[in-house]
Amino acid sequence: MGSNWKPTRDLVACAEKLKSEWTIDSMIGTGSFGAVYRAVRRGVQGYPACALKMIRLYPGQNISSLQNEIHLQQKLSGHPHIVQLLDYKQFDRYMVIAMELYDQDLQAFISGPVAESKGLPEHEVRAMAKQLIQALCYMHQLSLVHRDLKPANVLMKQVHSSSSSSSSSSSSSHSWHLALCDFGHSKWFQEGQLLETLVVGTPYYKAPELT
């Protein structure tokens, strides 16, 4: 986030309203929509830390697309490779969505650690691809298409595990758990149906036949 970024008065007021239910920790990021904070639910033992996304609402704004995104994410909840929606609340000037907390998105990972090294081992790439394919297959089984697949819409966190083999002693290794997010452009479809919306998604990540 930019060093000159400051929360608006409305955002501060919204955060104050949430303090009775949530312990708000650090800010994760900001954007034109508002801000995302790391938070823990008060009074609920074992409740995981989550990401609280505070989305700015404007007077007269049609929030049907935002409500539709929340509805879709509720439908998709339960799949291990789709970001889980934990809770949401609507205030006068903000919509607050509590979601599963991840370390970073795939775009940041590609631009940072991967760019600085010689890339990833093939078996790690295969494992990542498999997770995303599983998420997409699940969506398609529900007759839902994402329509904005890109690295920034894939969240990831490191998972530590122990492995052992007959040729080597037990050792600690890590892998990546990936989850698909951002369903603002998603749409229900029927077999054989033409999705008529042409200007949707992110241009650089569109399939060639759609450009």
Side-chain angles (χ1 to χ4, degrees):
M1 78 190 71
S3 59
N4 295 325
W5 189 90
K6 293 182 179 180
T8 64
R9 183 180 301 175
D10 290 338
L11 181 60
V12 172
C14 179
E16 286 295 324
K17 290 180 181 179
L18 293 169
K19 283 186 176 179
S20 62
E21 296 182 52
W22 300 88
T23 299
I24 299 176
D25 191 358
S26 55
M27 183 179 289
I28 298 172
T30 64
S32 58
F33 62 87
V36 183
Y37 290 85
R38 183 186 185 278
V40 177
R41 192 141 211 169
R42 291 180 182 269
V44 183
Q45 189 173 4
Y47 198 93
C50 71
L52 274 186
K53 186 175 183 179
M54 302 182 187
I55 303 171
R56 178 78 164 89
L57 303 178
Y58 296 93
Q61 178 182 352
N62 183 352
I63 63 171
S64 59
S65 61
L66 180 56
Q67 291 171 330
N68 181 60
E69 181 177 357
I70 291 171
H71 172 69
L72 290 179
Q73 201 158 353
Q74 286 177 316
K75 289 283 188 182
L76 294 168
S77 285
H79 192 278
H81 300 300
I82 291 177
V83 173
Q84 302 301 295
L85 175 68
L86 303 175
D87 196 6
Y88 70 94
K89 289 183 179 293
Q90 183 176 339
F91 298 98
D92 290 339
R93 296 182 181 275
Y94 275 88
M95 178 76 79
V96 180
I97 302 175
M99 299 180 295
E100 228 180 334
L101 181 66
Y102 280 78
D103 298 336
Q104 61 187 322
D105 63 50
L106 186 57
Q107 180 63 53
F109 181 68
I110 292 171
S111 304
V114 174
E116 294 167 4
S117 66
K118 295 181 179 179
L120 292 174
E122 185 178 337
H123 71 274
E124 286 192 30
V125 176
R126 285 201 306 267
M128 290 180 175
K130 182 178 180 180
Q131 294 177 60
L132 295 180
I133 290 170
Q134 288 174 339
L136 290 173
C137 284
Y138 180 69
M139 290 185 68
H140 295 170
Q141 287 169 1
L142 296 176
S143 299
L144 188 63
V145 61
H146 190 280
R147 302 205 299 176
D148 195 20
L149 290 174
K150 58 184 179 182
N153 286 341
V154 177
L155 300 183
M156 57 193 301
K157 58 186 173 183
Q158 204 169 58
V159 179
H160 295 274
S161 61
S162 293
S163 60
S164 61
S165 65
S166 58
S167 59
S168 62
S169 59
S170 295
S171 61
S172 177
S173 62
H174 72 266
S175 58
W176 293 100
H177 181 91
L178 273 61
L180 199 55
C181 69
D182 197 343
F183 303 95
H185 293 302
S186 299
K187 188 173 181 179
W188 300 103
F189 70 94
Q190 297 177 350
E191 187 174 351
Q193 176 188 0
L194 176 65
L195 297 177
E196 298 177 350
T197 308
L198 297 179
V199 184
V200 69
T202 307
Y204 289 129
Y205 294 99
K206 283 185 178 181
E209 62 269 23
L210 296 179
T211 56

